Amino acid sequence: MKPADDLLLIPHEEGFRAWRVKGDQISPVEADGRAWKNASWVALPARSIISVPMRILGVDGDRRESAAQLELEATGFSQETSDTHSFELQIPPSAEERDAPVTAILQAAALPEHVLAAADHARFVPSVAFHQLKAGEVLLWYETGGLVMAIPNAKGSPLHCQGLSARTLDADAAAEVRCVLASLDLAGVLPELESICISSSDEAEGRVPVSFENGLDLPVTFRRSAPPIMPEKASRLVPQPVVQLRTERQQRRMVMLGVAAFTLVLIAALGAFALRVLVRERSLMAEQARLRGLESQLESIRDARANWEDLRPALRPDLYPVETIYQLVQLLPPEGIRVTRFELKLDAFVIDGEASSLGHGIEFRDKLVAAPALSHWVWDVPQPTSLPDGRATFRAEAKPKVDETLTEESQEVTSL
């Protein structure tokens, strides 16, 4: 896949200008700032940062940043150094010695809105990173209508960069440049300087004003501004609006990931439940198929049971009607009892009769209920009824007892 082109947003004389990087070639983009999208690199103007070069003596490399923060807090920059994205300590490649000068960079102002709108995914560096510096040469250029000066170290890496209050090359600008160099010299970080170079795209600036040149102790040269160079690495400086936007986007991404994870867990749980229901349903279907396969056997068992029910009275002599009549006759006394009705069925037994006296009726009732031969009947015999002439009538009804063994067998057959 062909890599995408990089879009650079860099401040120039009239404001921010866009550059496109294709391979090793950098060309300007002729487009309105409102059409910029997805910038890869954004330069922080010199007036939006504060550069503080310093020499930290006797401190190892890992502790230089903490020492620089203490120095800045002592000068009133405690709030700026507390934010990771607003403070960076730049150690030039030449700083191999422990006491070599370093530069602390602080963000002091926000970028224009149209630049921030295109810098959502961009990397940020100070604007001096896009200019080619030469060792021993102070570089001046115009940036958003004002002058900017950069001082390199002995290896040509940026040591200090700041925007000047002067907007034209005159005696005041020269005096301001002298003051900056003097302050660096007083701090003990000023390198060996040989000249001052003015970089501009305006041909008229090729003639350096005499008042500016006479106000300096170094020779002044002019160089036509060249296309920007690509910085070696990005800084950790990021404008606060972009940090907030990225934080909100990260939070939304985390929320979306949480929702997606919850959805996946829910789908997995529902899938497991559905699988369990499917397995259960298939098990029930298999059991129903097995029972349907046993239907013919169950039908034969039911037929055998029905045949047994039909044969049961014939297989038990004590249930024969003749035997029952015989046992009833055995209970009758020689005199005093006359049976007027005798009805015997499989599910009912009814006896109506007369007794010569109430005592004979009660005595017969007691024999009938206690007779072992008729114990398979459940009797319901009310008190005999007396007649006016001294005789008594009685009625005895019985139902067959339930055969518990046969009932359990029938329940087992039914459950199959």
Side-chain angles (χ1 to χ4, degrees):
M1 181 182 294
K2 183 179 179 181
D5 300 338
D6 289 334
L7 182 66
L8 315 179
L9 299 182
I10 305 172
H12 287 269
E13 292 93 333
E14 71 285 354
F16 273 84
R17 184 186 301 175
W19 297 79
R20 191 172 301 281
V21 179
K22 291 184 178 182
D24 295 334
Q25 306 218 347
I26 301 178
S27 58
V29 177
E30 301 296 336
D32 189 0
R34 291 172 295 181
W36 296 341
K37 292 181 180 180
N38 300 326
S40 303
W41 293 83
V42 176
L44 298 172
R47 284 179 173 76
S48 68
I49 63 173
I50 299 175
S51 173
V52 184
M54 62 182 70
R55 190 183 296 273
I56 304 175
L57 302 177
V59 178
D60 295 332
D62 296 339
R63 301 173 56 191
R64 284 183 178 181
E65 183 169 333
S66 299
Q69 284 183 314
L70 292 176
E71 292 285 342
L72 293 172
E73 290 176 3
T75 57
F77 291 107
S78 58
Q79 183 176 357
E80 288 78 1
T81 58
S82 62
D83 188 359
T84 305
H85 300 287
S86 298
F87 165 72
E88 182 182 41
L89 185 66
Q90 292 185 346
I91 302 176
S94 62
E96 298 176 355
E97 299 180 1
R98 187 173 60 176
D99 300 334
V102 295
T103 304
I105 305 295
L106 303 170
Q107 286 197 81
L111 296 177
E113 291 294 334
H114 67 282
V115 176
L116 291 176
D120 187 12
H121 302 280
R123 290 165 285 183
F124 295 86
V125 290
S127 60
V128 66
F130 292 94
H131 292 269
Q132 181 68 51
L133 301 182
K134 296 180 181 179
E137 180 183 77
V138 178
L139 182 65
L140 275 75
W141 70 90
Y142 286 95
E143 191 174 279
T144 62
L147 281 170
V148 176
M149 67 176 296
I151 301 171
N153 59 16
K155 297 295 184 178
S157 299
L159 175 66
H160 176 62
C161 178
Q162 76 173 67
L164 302 179
S165 59
R167 294 186 174 274
T168 58
L169 296 172
D170 53 15
D172 293 336
E176 191 172 358
V177 171
R178 289 200 313 273
C179 288
V180 173
L181 296 178
S183 63
L184 296 180
D185 189 20
L186 184 62
V189 296
L190 184 67
E192 289 276 340
L193 297 178
E194 299 176 356
S195 63
I196 296 177
C197 180
I198 301 170
S199 175
S200 175
S201 60
D202 191 355
E203 295 289 347
E205 295 291 341
R207 297 189 301 271
V208 181
V210 177
S211 59
F212 177 76
E213 189 173 7
N214 292 337
L216 297 172
D217 299 331
L218 297 172
V220 180
T221 60
F222 176 84
R223 182 169 70 235
R224 184 174 180 81
S225 59
I229 63 173
M230 288 294 294
E232 296 180 359
K233 63 178 182 178
S235 70
R236 72 184 188 193
L237 301 175
V238 180
Q240 187 59 34
V242 178
V243 173
Q244 183 176 357
L245 182 63
R246 292 177 179 178
T247 302
E248 292 175 355
R249 184 173 61 244
Q250 181 67 18
Q251 291 176 350
R252 290 195 300 269
R253 184 180 294 113
M254 294 301 294
V255 171
M256 293 177 63
L257 288 176
V259 172
F262 176 77
T263 303
L264 289 177
V265 171
L266 183 60
I267 291 175
L270 293 177
F273 178 75
L275 180 61
R276 184 175 180 182
V277 172
L278 180 61
V279 172
R280 177 80 173 176
E281 183 178 356
R282 289 185 176 178
S283 177
L284 291 176
M285 293 175 62
E287 185 66 17
Q288 290 176 355
R290 188 182 71 84
L291 292 177
R292 285 195 296 269
L294 296 175
E295 186 64 29
S296 58
Q297 300 179 27
L298 293 176
E299 188 62 29
S300 63
I301 293 174
R302 294 191 188 98
D303 293 342
R305 176 177 175 273
N307 294 333
W308 171 256
E309 287 295 327
D310 294 340
L311 291 174
R312 185 163 61 112
L315 298 177
R316 293 184 58 178
D318 58 329
L319 298 180
Y320 289 178
V322 176
E323 178 66 20
T324 302
I325 294 172
Y326 173 76
Q327 295 297 335
L328 179 61
V329 170
Q330 294 297 320
L331 297 176
L332 293 174
E335 60 181 12
I337 296 296
R338 183 172 67 89
V339 176
T340 61
R341 180 188 175 192
F342 180 87
E343 182 179 350
L344 178 61
K345 298 180 181 179
L346 289 176
D347 57 350
F349 190 3
V350 180
I351 301 174
D352 291 335
E354 293 180 357
S356 59
S357 65
L358 182 60
H360 284 86
I362 293 174
E363 182 182 0
F364 178 73
R365 182 194 67 178
D366 295 339
K367 289 182 178 180
L368 183 65
V369 173
L374 301 177
S375 60
H376 57 278
W377 294 96
V378 179
W379 292 97
D380 181 14
V381 184
Q383 184 73 15
T385 304
S386 297
L387 298 176
D389 57 359
R391 291 177 300 122
T393 60
F394 61 87
R395 182 181 180 87
E397 296 181 357
K399 298 289 184 182
K401 286 185 178 180
V402 178
D403 191 336
E404 296 180 357
T405 304
L406 185 58
T407 301
E408 292 177 357
E409 294 176 355
S410 63
Q411 289 177 349
E412 292 178 0
V413 172
T414 304
S415 63
L416 290 175

